[in-house]
Amino acid sequence: MELFQYEPGMPAYLAADDVIDHEHAVVRGIARRLRSATSDAYSYAEAAFTYVRDAIPHSADSGDPRVTWRASDVLEQRTGICFAKAHALAALLRAGGIPAALCYQKLDTAHGLIALKLPGERRWARQDPRGNKPGVDARFRLDREQLAWPVRPELGEADYPWLFAEPHPVVLRCLQEAVDRPHLWQLLPTALEMPEACRQA
């Protein structure tokens, strides 16, 4: 699938903000530890992916009712749903100087993942740090995608091809307004409206 940058330049995909707060000490500390154990951008990106996938449980799998959305909180509290874990991975990648975007799928509900662009690579590569469980085996790959869930078009599922530097506003609003995870499930949409610029491209 061809992926499209919503922001034309690369600086937006390296920027820090209130959500992907990779200048925070927690994010910087983890990035520093990962960097010290790796030798290049590829190995750092893979280590960051593995860390978020495996060391931070998906809150639905663990039964954690807390809702996180800011990358530093996800990493510090070690919990989050797919969108939150994507924010955390994007922050770690950007802390390592690797452009990272947020992207989405329409499954039975909206699903969040990331895309990265490593030095020397012409294309963005999507990665899914949701967290594995029986029936889910997402892995870090550049040769082909190995996401948590490939879409099933016959069931109305779809990949959104747009790469965003910031979270989709509907997703972020739901995460911020939810008092706990059961409440969040009531708020999250099944599909995401793409910005007008995306629909016209």
Side-chain angles (χ1 to χ4, degrees):
M1 182 185 70
E2 189 174 3
L3 301 172
F4 301 95
Q5 290 180 214
Y6 182 62
E7 300 290 342
M10 210 55 68
Y13 299 97
L14 289 165
D17 56 31
D18 193 43
V19 180
I20 305 175
D21 58 339
H22 62 74
E23 295 177 348
H24 192 282
V26 169
V27 181
R28 287 290 180 182
I30 294 172
R32 190 162 46 248
R33 292 199 302 272
L34 294 173
R35 199 159 37 238
S36 69
T38 54
S39 58
D40 55 22
Y42 180 97
S43 59
Y44 174 84
E46 184 175 24
F49 168 84
T50 302
Y51 181 86
V52 174
R53 184 194 64 185
D54 296 348
I56 301 170
H58 190 289
S59 56
D61 296 346
S62 65
D64 194 324
R66 294 175 294 172
V67 176
T68 53
W69 53 268
R70 185 179 286 113
S72 58
D73 290 337
V74 177
L75 294 170
E76 186 170 40
Q77 299 179 33
R78 300 171 75 88
T79 189
I81 67 165
C82 60
F83 304 109
K85 294 186 66 171
H87 300 167
L89 179 53
L92 287 175
L93 291 170
R94 293 183 188 184
I98 299 170
L102 302 171
C103 44
Y104 303 93
Q105 294 175 307
K106 179 186 181 296
L107 304 174
D108 56 344
T109 186
H111 177 62
L113 51 158
I114 68 103
L116 56 82
K117 194 168 189 181
L118 287 173
E121 295 289 336
R122 295 180 56 206
R123 296 184 178 182
W124 290 85
R126 293 193 303 172
Q127 312 293 337
D128 193 339
R130 180 227 178 265
N132 290 340
K133 62 178 183 175
V136 176
D137 185 28
R139 295 184 181 274
F140 184 87
R141 303 189 67 138
L142 298 183
D143 58 335
R144 64 177 178 84
E145 291 185 341
Q146 190 165 339
L147 308 178
W149 291 291
V151 299
R152 299 166 294 179
E154 67 276 11
L155 298 181
E157 298 176 351
D159 287 306
Y160 296 111
W162 290 97
L163 305 176
F164 298 99
E166 300 175 350
H168 191 287
V170 172
V171 169
L172 183 58
R173 183 170 66 249
C174 292
L175 290 169
Q176 291 175 331
E177 291 180 356
V179 297
D180 56 22
R181 188 170 40 80
H183 184 217
L184 177 60
W185 286 167
Q186 299 174 24
L187 299 177
L188 285 174
T190 56
L192 295 173
E193 183 75 13
M194 290 293 106
E196 187 67 28
C198 294
R199 294 197 297 270
Q200 293 177 352

